[in-house]
Amino acid sequence: MFWLGSVELVSGAFPRERAVGPAHHGSWAHRLRRELSDRTRFRSANVIEIAALVVLFDLVAGPVLQISPVIAIFQAPALPFRKTYIAQPVLASFLVALQCARFGFLAVGGHPLPRRHHHPFLRRLGQEGRRSRCGHDGPVEENAPGATEWTVPGQVGVGPWPGGRGVWPAADRYDPDLLEHGDTRNVVSPYRYWRRDAVAADLAARAHPFHVAIENFGHDHNIGTVVRTANAFAAAGVHIVGRRRWNRRGAMVTDRYLDVHHHADTAGLAAFAARHDLAVVAVDNTPGAQRLETAELPRRCVLLFGEEGPGITEQAREVAALTVSIAQFGSTRSINAGVAAGIAMHAWIRRHADLAAAW
């Protein structure tokens, strides 16, 4: 049991990466992963892991006690006290290894930790600065700290307003809590100490007349990246077409400063575009598409992106007034949807934005 716990520690601290091919994407396991949220899969994995350890312990304790494995689980706790000098150290070592393995398992891809959790032991396990396995699309508390709102000493943020309460600015846009304790959010300097709704209102006033839409019929994990990029380029809004649930963790809190719309299908998006006089521009490397590098993007438009892999749907092609593709010169057939969205948005910025207004 001690060696099994040690193996789990190593495998948890140094995760293996494997290629995922087309055959895997069509398997029942992949379809199940798409239907279950990351939080549900994370909890299910914990339950399966604990159950497997209990069963394995029974199978080992049964022969040791020379009784049935079912009865062994009830008598095993007394075993360390019968063979004190051997069993107790082994059991203690196993428990330590198991707890370390649990830390390693939770640390794989972990999120930046709050300051109170910045402990050297956790940093050695890779806990700091990585993304958590759980909660990619789980419920998000409206005022809970987000990924870019956690304190990371020495990286981002400013301290309390210099001079104390007596010299605080009187404008309503400032947040008294941020003025008193400092602002560690990942926002540009002009928005330091501002309330979140004040930042959102100012961004809406400065927004460009283009929107961004992405299809989400299979739970695309690139949506968070698209939303964050749309915030950086001051898009007027973001539209999720299909499933309502999406990877908010990847947005790094930026969705809280944007208007995020949901449409059950492509027809709903097309209706929104028609009401607001927006041309739908599909971005996909399909036959007949114009080069993004030379095409004239409409100033008022919705840049529509498909999911990773299948690209835009047939319904999206039908409602699009223009389809553009990004010039590629390598062997891959397509590029990541989040990357493509950033390239297309920047192409719009180069054609229409006032660069003097950039930060």
Side-chain angles (χ1 to χ4, degrees), residues 111 131 135-137 140 147-148 220-229 246-255:
H111 225 304
R131 183 168 298 170
H136 290 293
D137 49 16
V140 178
T148 60
D220 196 314
H221 287 276
N222 292 290
I223 295 179
T225 301
V226 176
V227 172
R228 184 180 182 184
T229 307
W246 56 279
N247 176 25
R248 295 180 184 273
R249 183 65 58 87
M252 303 289 281
V253 192
T254 55
D255 58 303

Side-chain angles (χ1 to χ4, degrees), residues 230-291:
N231 175 288
F233 291 130
V238 176
H239 302 257
I240 312 299
V241 182
R243 299 180 61 174
R244 184 178 297 273
R245 193 170 61 194
W246 56 279
N247 176 25
R248 295 180 184 273
R249 183 65 58 87
M252 303 289 281
V253 192
T254 55
D255 58 303
R256 299 180 181 179
Y257 303 100
L258 287 173
D259 286 332
V260 180
H261 309 267
H262 174 259
H263 307 282
D265 50 31
T266 309
L269 174 67
F272 178 94
R275 289 195 306 270
H276 295 81
D277 192 26
L278 299 169
V280 178
V281 179
V283 182
D284 200 1
N285 57 350
T286 56
Q290 298 184 33
R291 293 289 189 193

Side-chain angles (χ1 to χ4, degrees), residues 13 23 27 34 40 52-53 134 144 170 178 187 193-194 208 211 256 280 330 351 358:
S27 66
R34 291 192 305 180
T40 300
L53 288 174
C134 65
L178 297 177
V187 296
Y193 304 108
W194 282 34
H208 294 123
H211 293 240
R256 299 180 181 179
V280 178
R351 285 167 173 77

Side-chain angles (χ1 to χ4, degrees), residues 30-349:
H30 181 71
R31 290 196 297 271
L32 181 62
R33 283 176 56 85
R34 291 192 305 180
E35 293 300 324
L36 297 178
S37 69
D38 291 340
R39 184 183 299 272
T40 300
R41 293 199 303 269
F42 176 80
R43 291 174 175 174
S44 300
N46 281 343
V47 172
I48 294 173
E49 180 184 23
I50 294 173
L53 288 174
V54 170
V55 172
L56 187 59
F57 183 82
D58 281 353
L59 295 177
V60 174
V64 172
L65 298 177
Q66 297 181 350
I67 56 177
S68 169
V70 177
I71 302 175
I73 191 173
F74 299 102
Q75 297 187 6
L79 180 62
F81 301 97
R82 297 181 186 177
K83 302 179 180 180
T84 304
Y85 297 104
I86 298 177
Q88 283 191 6
V90 171
L91 181 61
S93 301
F94 166 72
L95 293 177
V96 171
L98 180 60
Q99 291 302 319
C100 291
R102 301 288 294 173
F103 273 116
F105 178 77
L106 293 173
V108 175
H111 225 304
L113 290 175
R115 178 182 295 173
R116 64 180 181 276
H117 290 157
H118 285 181
H119 191 280
F121 176 69
L122 294 182
R123 287 199 292 268
R124 287 195 295 271
L125 285 174
Q127 182 81 2
E128 180 177 337
R130 299 179 182 175
R131 183 168 298 170
S132 173
R133 286 189 175 186
C134 65
H136 290 293
D137 49 16
V140 178
E141 184 182 345
E142 179 62 26
N143 294 317
T148 60
E149 294 179 318
W150 276 326
T151 302
V152 183
Q155 290 190 16
V156 295
V158 291
W161 187 274
R165 289 175 174 266
V167 294
W168 281 4
D172 184 59
R173 63 177 178 268
Y174 290 100
D175 187 327
D177 185 65
L178 297 177
L179 292 171
E180 182 175 2
H181 299 101
D183 188 354
T184 59
R185 299 172 301 173
N186 185 18
V187 296
V188 293
S189 296
Y191 290 142
R192 287 297 182 197
Y193 304 108
W194 282 34
R195 292 182 292 104
R196 183 184 297 166
D197 56 347
V199 176
D202 191 70
L203 284 178
R206 302 177 64 252
H208 294 123
F210 78 91
H211 293 240
V212 177
I214 184 167
E215 295 181 306
N216 186 37
F217 298 107
H219 195 46
D220 196 314
H221 287 276
N222 292 290
I223 295 179
T225 301
V226 176
V227 172
R228 184 180 182 184
T229 307
N231 175 288
F233 291 130
V238 176
H239 302 257
I240 312 299
V241 182
R243 299 180 61 174
R244 184 178 297 273
R245 193 170 61 194
W246 56 279
N247 176 25
R248 295 180 184 273
R249 183 65 58 87
M252 303 289 281
V253 192
T254 55
D255 58 303
R256 299 180 181 179
Y257 303 100
L258 287 173
D259 286 332
V260 180
H261 309 267
H262 174 259
H263 307 282
D265 50 31
T266 309
L269 174 67
F272 178 94
R275 289 195 306 270
H276 295 81
D277 192 26
L278 299 169
V280 178
V281 179
V283 182
D284 200 1
N285 57 350
T286 56
Q290 298 184 33
R291 293 289 189 193
L292 172 65
E293 293 74 18
T294 57
E296 188 61 35
L297 292 177
R299 178 173 175 80
R300 294 184 57 82
C301 67
V302 178
L303 299 175
L304 174 58
F305 304 91
E307 291 185 284
E308 185 76 20
I312 60 174
T313 60
E314 186 62 33
Q315 293 79 5
R317 295 189 183 94
E318 293 175 356
V319 303
L322 173 67
T323 301
V324 296
S325 64
I326 299 172
Q328 298 177 203
F329 303 90
S331 62
T332 182
R333 188 188 69 83
S334 63
I335 59 178
N336 177 271
V339 175
I343 294 174
M345 281 185 258
H346 192 259
W348 189 98
I349 292 295

